[in-house]
Amino acid sequence: MEKSNERTFQGILWHHVNSILSNTDEYNFKIILQEQNIGVDDNRFADGLLYSKLDTHKKVLFELKDSSWDATDEKLVYDAMIKAFNKGFEYFVTGTPRQLVIYQTFKADTTLNDRKLKIYDISTIRKNTEITTTTFEKQAIPQLKIYH
């Protein structure tokens, strides 16, 4: 069985998202790009940036981890929020092969947990090696289509 990791997950997820975006006009997004240097400092990259069709300055930052993580892990969410906050992005998403969680970056007098807008369950996989299987694809694609 192939070895897979966070980068494998990113590549497969972005492939599916971009395929969905290019095959329909119903979404307000045009493309997601992997490993974008967001210029917060020399080593700060977004795992993904989802670009708006309506406003080229609006982007959603994505921070992903492999299947050993929880998408709501405090460290993951905080790191993603700092990147999104420093770049002025209104929303950010944390995720694993099982879940994607969308947060609002700015909201006065709230905790990070209070800024959680929605959790999307995208698959039931438990191991990184399952990321490259048809099971992941069959579970994730229908869920990604409702994620907008």
Side-chain angles (χ1 to χ4, degrees):
M1 193 158 262
E2 294 180 31
K3 286 190 171 193
S4 299
N5 60 27
E6 177 184 324
R7 298 290 186 266
T8 309
F9 170 48
Q10 286 175 18
I12 289 171
L13 189 65
W14 300 160
H15 169 76
H16 292 313
V17 169
N18 283 325
S19 178
I20 291 166
L21 293 176
S22 68
N23 289 317
T24 183
D25 287 330
E26 83 179 74
Y27 302 104
N28 292 327
F29 304 103
K30 62 181 178 180
I31 193 168
I32 192 162
L33 298 177
Q34 184 174 5
E35 290 297 318
Q36 296 294 290
N37 186 331
I38 57 173
V40 174
D41 63 39
D42 290 340
N43 298 316
R44 298 303 275 189
F45 286 78
D47 290 340
L49 284 181
L50 181 62
Y51 289 79
S52 169
K53 266 197 254 186
L54 308 174
D55 181 345
T56 57
H57 298 293
K58 290 196 176 194
K59 300 171 190 85
V60 177
L61 179 133
F62 279 71
E63 283 297 313
L64 304 179
K65 293 295 182 189
D66 68 25
S67 63
S68 68
W69 285 71
D70 183 297
T72 60
D73 179 89
E74 195 174 303
K75 180 178 175 8
L76 171 61
V77 174
Y78 180 78
D79 288 348
M81 185 276 302
I82 291 297
K83 289 179 184 180
F85 181 86
N86 286 338
K87 288 305 291 179
F89 299 147
E90 189 173 351
Y91 299 100
F92 67 92
V93 174
T94 58
T96 69
R98 288 181 301 282
Q99 292 182 322
L100 296 174
V101 184
I102 188 165
Y103 292 86
Q104 186 174 3
T105 305
F106 312 101
K107 195 168 182 183
D109 302 319
T110 61
T111 67
L112 269 174
N113 195 46
D114 293 336
R115 293 186 235 157
K116 185 183 333 163
L117 300 176
K118 186 157 183 165
I119 296 175
Y120 293 87
D121 294 315
I122 60 170
S123 83
T124 59
I125 70 165
R126 295 286 171 216
K127 299 177 187 170
N128 288 334
T129 54
E130 296 174 284
I131 295 167
T132 59
T133 66
T134 57
T135 300
F136 178 71
E137 184 175 338
K138 287 177 183 175
Q139 290 178 359
I141 289 176
Q143 296 305 313
L144 292 172
K145 287 181 177 178
I146 63 171
Y147 182 79
H148 59 316

